[in-house]
Amino acid sequence: MDRRIKIRHMEALAAIARQGSLKAACAELHLSQPALSKTLKELEDILGATLMERDRSGIRMTPEGEVFLEFAGQSLAALRRGFDGVKALRQGGAEVLRVGSLPSVAARLMPEAVARFRDLSPDTRLHLRDGAHGALTGELRAGRLDMVIGRMGTAEMMTGLSFTQLYEERVVCVASPGHPLIGQTTAPQDLRGWAMLYPPEGAAIRPLIDRWCMAHGLGAFADQIECVSGAFGRNYMRVAQALWFISEGVVAQDLADGRLFALPLDLSLTAGPVGLMTLPDSARSRSAQLFIRTLQDATSRN
């Protein structure tokens, strides 16, 4: 490997790709734009290839840039795990495990898996994060998470990640008790005219719901609120006669307790795999292996 390549070169490329612009990458890295541009130019000169193209719409990685970015990301992630390992040893040897989960998994699967994991490995320092697909997979690629559990995204969203399926999940359209559509034979066209909580761009379920709506001749809803927050959704449904497209796992307990009701719509088109996302070929710690087993056990019981 060319010894002229430094960590700062890889960090610069990863930040630009993650942020989508030089300006945002400069803010993340606390660098001036001339300094960042110089670092990128040094890397391109070393590799003898243009890694990205820039225009008024932003940046676009070249094929050479995509290839180098994938392996640079893996290298940075491995280095961060090494630093974390040394830090853990200095703090008494406890392993650190950082797990991200999409909202449907955080609500449905994670509580049981984490409780079982704590019984089996009480000394592991477990850091949990939940959030949107793009944010969590970005953290995974950057080495700030060891694994992410959630829906498989589009091919573009899954680039550079390994995916192992745990189970399959569908989307439901739910209403609060007392909504006029509850207990009725509901057709897709009956959704028109109601306030709708809808997943935002970048949510893993967004393209699936868009496709379902398109298949049934439904365009954008007149009162469409784009939101990924389960907490907001639950509370908004209590005070508004709205409908909510959401992964079934997010509201599984609400449905079981009668706080929400799923409309009788055929949403099988939205079913998709939920599973474990990791960086390919990454070495798994003892804690990571044990946590994956508890996930698999929790899946078999749900």
Side-chain angles (χ1 to χ4, degrees):
M1 188 181 77
D2 196 313
R3 294 181 181 274
R4 291 176 295 169
I5 294 179
K6 308 297 182 184
I7 292 176
R8 62 185 174 85
H9 292 126
M10 295 186 288
E11 287 181 328
L13 183 68
I16 296 169
R18 186 164 54 247
Q19 296 292 345
S21 76
L22 265 68
K23 182 178 180 180
C26 286
E28 177 184 329
L29 297 173
H30 305 290
L31 291 174
S32 67
Q33 189 155 329
L36 183 59
S37 296
K38 180 182 177 182
T39 301
L40 178 61
K41 182 65 166 56
E42 288 175 357
L43 180 58
E44 290 180 327
D45 288 345
I46 293 168
L47 295 174
T50 300
L51 301 179
M52 62 181 63
E53 296 173 349
R54 283 152 280 182
D55 55 33
R56 283 180 292 181
S57 63
I59 63 101
R60 182 178 62 82
M61 302 297 294
T62 65
E64 293 86 352
E66 292 284 0
V67 169
F68 188 80
L69 177 64
E70 179 176 346
F71 291 100
Q74 293 178 25
S75 299
L76 290 170
L79 282 170
R80 289 191 180 97
R81 285 195 294 273
F83 280 116
D84 288 345
V86 171
K87 183 178 179 181
L89 286 172
R90 293 178 65 186
Q91 293 176 346
E95 285 188 345
V96 177
L97 183 63
R98 300 157 302 177
V99 181
S101 59
L102 270 66
S104 62
V105 179
R108 187 176 204 171
L109 188 66
M110 289 292 281
E112 181 178 343
V114 169
R116 176 60 175 156
F117 178 76
R118 299 311 298 162
D119 288 340
L120 298 175
S121 185
D123 294 331
T124 299
R125 293 166 54 215
L126 188 60
H127 298 178
L128 300 179
R129 287 270 314 276
D130 66 357
H133 192 285
L136 292 180
T137 52
E139 294 286 288
L140 176 61
R141 289 187 180 93
R144 288 188 281 269
L145 291 174
D146 298 304
M147 64 182 75
V148 172
I149 303 98
R151 266 191 181 250
M152 176 185 282
T154 62
E156 181 180 339
M157 296 167 75
M158 298 300 294
T159 299
L161 300 179
S162 174
F163 182 87
T164 303
Q165 182 170 337
L166 293 170
Y167 59 95
E168 193 171 76
E169 184 174 67
R170 66 180 182 128
V171 171
V172 290
C173 184
V174 299
S176 296
H179 194 285
L181 292 182
I182 292 177
Q184 306 295 319
T185 300
T186 307
Q189 290 71 26
D190 296 330
L191 305 185
R192 289 194 179 103
W194 295 103
M196 179 67 72
L197 291 182
Y198 205 85
E201 294 285 351
I205 62 174
R206 173 65 180 257
L208 302 174
I209 300 174
D210 284 347
R211 185 173 61 180
W212 185 86
C213 288
M214 187 180 300
H216 292 91
L218 297 174
F221 295 91
D223 186 359
Q224 180 169 306
I225 304 168
E226 298 194 1
C227 172
V228 75
S229 169
F232 171 81
R234 289 184 183 88
N235 285 299
Y236 186 73
M237 297 292 283
R238 290 173 51 226
V239 299
Q241 276 202 333
L243 304 175
W244 186 12
F245 278 122
I246 188 66
S247 290
E248 188 174 26
V250 175
V251 293
Q253 195 60 54
D254 302 274
L255 295 173
D257 294 342
R259 294 191 295 266
L260 292 171
F261 291 86
L263 299 182
L265 297 164
D266 181 5
L267 284 156
S268 55
L269 192 63
T270 65
V274 174
L276 173 72
M277 289 169 267
T278 58
L279 293 175
D281 303 321
S282 59
R284 291 175 180 169
S285 66
R286 179 198 64 84
S287 294
Q289 295 177 40
L290 186 58
F291 191 83
I292 291 170
R293 288 205 297 272
T294 65
L295 279 173
Q296 292 167 337
D297 289 344
T299 299
S300 67
R301 288 191 291 272
N302 280 272

